[in-house]
Amino acid sequence: MEFEDVIVWTGSIVSLVSFSMKTMVPLRVLACIASALFIWFGIITGIYHSVVLNSALFVFNALRLYEILQVSRAVKTLKGEPSEFDWLRDIARPSEMTEGELIFRKGDAPDGLYYLDKGTVELSEIGVTLNAGTVFGEIAFFTDAGERTSSAVCRGDCRVIHIDESTFIDLYYSNPAFSVSIVKLISKRLMEGRIKPPETLHPASQPVAP
């Protein structure tokens, strides 16, 4: 077997193995290794379109790996306390909101996670007031209804950080420390009675008014 064949077969095997990975870090690492091998193969054999393609793939996977590792370092020490989620301000742009402004309405489809960086938010239907440093909006992702269990309204001027759904899901499944922290936070709120079953954890019997 020629040396070029060894490289391309090794790259193919590594690429195949990467698809069997269950978590993102090893998948991205193996994808980078496979791309590097295919770049090497393309240079040796003069197949330059392969060099261009795999160079782009290498950069893309390396950037995604860097982002994942950055977030992993940020969440690895979390213990489920809301104040320990303040690193979320580093991955999303905050929005300034005013008194009475609606963040989301009960019955809305969950569109992400929220972090209250400044001010006070009231969860109207359950009579709960949230202060700065609090994560909220996570409950809707873990109910059968798949919808917001309460409306969130600003009480005074607020600064709210919205983590979109795709980012939240990516964080939840790719970072065990973050997912455990979210589960601990939900458990804590259940223990404190801040989540009121059963009516708020099941689909509403009446349509939500626009």
Side-chain angles (χ1 to χ4, degrees), residues 66 68-77 175:
Y66 174 77
I68 292 169
L69 292 176
Q70 285 289 93
V71 174
S72 295
R73 280 193 288 270
V75 302
K76 67 181 180 180
T77 59
N175 296 277

Side-chain angles (χ1 to χ4, degrees), residues 126-165:
I126 59 175
V128 170
T129 299
L130 305 175
N131 297 315
T134 303
V135 165
F136 64 102
E138 80 286 352
I139 302 300
F141 290 95
F142 300 92
T143 66
D144 292 336
E147 61 185 35
R148 295 296 182 191
T149 58
S150 179
S151 300
V153 183
C154 294
R155 296 306 178 205
D157 292 338
C158 296
R159 182 185 300 120
V160 179
I161 295 171
H162 176 228
I163 309 300
D164 64 74
E165 182 179 5

Side-chain angles (χ1 to χ4, degrees), residues 35-139:
S35 293
L37 289 169
F38 287 127
I39 291 169
W40 190 6
F41 172 77
I43 292 172
I44 292 174
T45 59
I47 306 176
Y48 295 111
H49 64 274
S50 176
V51 174
V52 173
L53 173 62
N54 284 284
S55 294
L57 290 173
F58 180 88
V59 171
F60 176 78
N61 282 297
L63 286 174
R64 289 296 293 151
L65 177 61
Y66 174 77
E67 291 171 359
I68 292 169
L69 292 176
Q70 285 289 93
V71 174
S72 295
R73 280 193 288 270
V75 302
K76 67 181 180 180
T77 59
L78 293 180
K79 298 177 181 177
E81 295 296 328
S83 61
E84 295 183 2
F85 289 97
D86 59 2
W87 58 271
L88 290 171
R89 68 168 64 99
D90 297 328
I91 64 173
R93 181 176 298 176
S95 298
E96 301 293 336
M97 307 185 78
T98 57
E99 163 66 29
E101 194 167 348
L102 189 70
I103 300 172
F104 54 76
R105 188 188 301 273
K106 180 179 179 180
D108 286 350
D111 60 347
L113 183 76
Y114 292 85
Y115 176 76
L116 183 58
D117 195 34
K118 183 185 77 172
T120 302
V121 167
E122 180 186 2
L123 303 181
S124 321
E125 288 81 2
I126 59 175
V128 170
T129 299
L130 305 175
N131 297 315
T134 303
V135 165
F136 64 102
E138 80 286 352
I139 302 300

